[in-house]
Amino acid sequence: MSGGPEATRKLVELLDLERLDTNLFRGTQPETIRQRVYGGQVAAQALIAGSRTVEPDLHVHSLHSYFLLPGDYQVPIIYDVERTRDGRSFATRRVLARQHGRPIYYQSISFHRPEEGFEHQDVMPDVKPPELGMDLIELMRRRGSDDGLGQEWAALDVRWLGNSRHGLERDPMHPSRTQLWIRIDGQLSDEPTEHLATFTYASDVSLLGATLAAHDGGEPRNVQMASLDHTIWFHRPFRADEWWLYDQWSPSAQGARGLAIGRIFTQSGELVATVAQEGLIRPRQKPGS
C-alpha cells in the first residue's frame, strides 16, 4: 500500500541535495529500520548531484554505476562531482559518493543536447493493465520479505503482474522474467530532472529479482542479494508520476551473479528507457550444511 502525496513529497525532499561547495553535495537519509542504504536512493542522489553541474539545455541520456560498499543510514552521503568533459553536444560527469571517508558508490553520467535523428523502438509487450496487478508491497509483506522496504517505497505505486513461475506465460526465449507497473504515487512538478531522479530511485525495484524468477527456492529469504552495478539509458522524455511498465528479464545467471535487463514503456507504448543491472545472488547455506 503506497503512501500517496505526502510520501512523494518526502521522496522529492530526500533527493534535494545540499550544496556544500563547488561540485560538492550532501544527501540526507530517510527514517528506516533497514541496515543498508537502498541502491536506488544513492543512484538518484548521485544523478541529482551531477545534473546540478551542467547547463539546463543538456539532458542526461545515460548513467553507469558501481556499488562499492554498503551505505550507512546513520550518516549523510557526500557526493563529489568531477567535470570530466564539456563539449558542444555532450558533457560527462563522474560522481563519487562517500561515507566515513570511503567511497561507497561511483556513477558516470553522460548528457546530450537534444537534436533530430533516426527513430525506431521495440514494440511494447501485451500485458494486463495496472489495475489488474497485485500491490507489490502487500505481496512482500504477506510473504514476510518486506524488510523495511515497504516504508522506504511508500512513494511508489507498484503493481506486480507476474514472473516466469507465477502469472506469466512461459517464454522459451526468456526463461527468467518479471513484469510490473510502477508510478510515483503523487504529482511531481514539471521539472524534468525530478522525473528522471525519482524514476532512477524506482528503477532498482525488483530488477535483481528477475534473475531468480525461473528458480525454485529463489525467494529473498533464501538468497543473499546485493546490487553490483546499475545502468540506465534514457531514450525519450516521460513522467515518472504516470504508469510505466517495467518489463524485466534475465539473460544469464552464473557463478553467484545474475544479470537483469529492463525495458520501460509508457501506457501509450513508448519505449522511454532501458535499465541493466548485475548483482550477487548467492544461495544461503542451510544451518548445519
Side-chain angles (χ1 to χ4, degrees):
M1 185 179 298
S2 53
E6 178 61 19
T8 297
R9 181 189 64 79
K10 289 182 179 180
L11 174 59
V12 171
E13 289 181 353
L14 176 69
L15 303 182
D16 187 16
L17 305 182
E18 175 188 1
R19 185 184 294 271
L20 300 177
D21 201 346
T22 304
N23 304 328
L24 196 64
F25 304 85
R26 177 163 56 197
T28 60
Q29 300 281 21
E31 294 182 3
T32 182
I33 63 172
R34 301 186 72 239
Q35 300 300 312
R36 298 188 304 174
V37 174
Y38 165 58
Q41 174 193 323
V42 67
Q45 288 181 330
L47 174 60
I48 289 288
S51 297
R52 290 185 176 174
T53 68
V54 299
E55 297 297 323
D57 63 336
L58 282 161
H59 298 170
V60 59
H61 73 88
S62 70
L63 66 85
H64 304 265
S65 59
Y66 286 93
F67 298 94
L68 306 176
L69 289 171
D72 180 0
Y73 276 115
Q74 302 306 310
V75 297
I77 303 175
I78 302 300
Y79 296 91
D80 191 352
V81 182
E82 176 186 325
R83 300 185 183 223
T84 309
R85 177 176 183 262
D86 285 298
R88 286 183 295 181
S89 297
F90 292 89
T92 307
R93 297 292 185 264
R94 293 195 294 183
V95 185
L96 185 63
R98 293 194 190 92
Q99 283 185 314
H100 305 295
R102 300 179 301 174
I104 66 167
Y105 174 81
Y106 177 89
Q107 184 179 101
S108 179
I109 319 171
S110 185
F111 299 84
H112 182 211
R113 285 189 171 87
E115 54 186 289
E116 296 297 321
F118 300 106
E119 290 271 348
H120 74 267
Q121 68 159 73
D122 283 355
V123 176
M124 178 179 174
D126 186 18
V127 298
K128 295 182 292 187
E131 54 268 22
L132 295 183
M134 301 177 64
D135 187 302
L136 180 64
I137 304 304
E138 289 300 313
L139 185 62
M140 290 168 58
R141 286 172 178 161
R142 289 202 299 268
R143 292 177 174 176
S145 57
D146 180 350
D147 190 30
L149 275 174
Q151 177 184 346
E152 285 198 39
W153 291 350
L156 309 181
D157 192 353
V158 186
R159 306 300 176 89
W160 191 77
L161 298 178
N163 64 20
S164 297
R165 286 181 295 140
H166 306 286
L168 297 185
E169 293 184 7
R170 295 281 182 176
D171 181 353
M173 297 296 294
H174 300 100
S176 196
R177 301 165 55 226
T178 301
Q179 290 179 335
L180 56 158
W181 288 99
I182 307 181
R183 67 177 175 184
I184 303 299
D185 191 27
Q187 187 169 2
L188 299 172
S189 73
D190 292 332
E191 169 58 45
T193 303
E194 191 170 292
H195 291 266
L196 294 176
T198 53
F199 164 77
T200 299
Y201 180 91
S203 68
D204 199 22
V205 171
S206 160
L207 186 56
L208 193 55
T211 66
L212 300 169
H215 301 279
D216 292 331
E219 290 77 15
R221 63 179 179 273
N222 299 326
V223 182
Q224 180 186 356
M225 302 174 66
S227 301
L228 298 174
D229 56 35
H230 195 75
T231 296
I232 305 176
W233 295 270
F234 299 99
H235 309 312
R236 297 167 178 86
F238 68 103
R239 294 190 66 93
D241 55 3
E242 297 178 355
W243 288 114
W244 42 276
L245 175 70
Y246 210 168
D247 180 38
Q248 306 171 341
W249 75 95
S250 174
S252 177
Q254 73 297 311
R257 302 191 319 276
L259 174 65
I261 311 293
R263 298 182 301 174
I264 286 78
F265 293 90
T266 64
Q267 278 192 288
S268 61
E270 275 194 304
L271 178 62
V272 294
T274 301
V275 184
Q277 182 178 101
E278 187 177 44
L280 176 71
I281 48 170
R282 179 184 291 144
R284 297 186 188 275
Q285 296 295 320
K286 296 182 179 179
S289 62

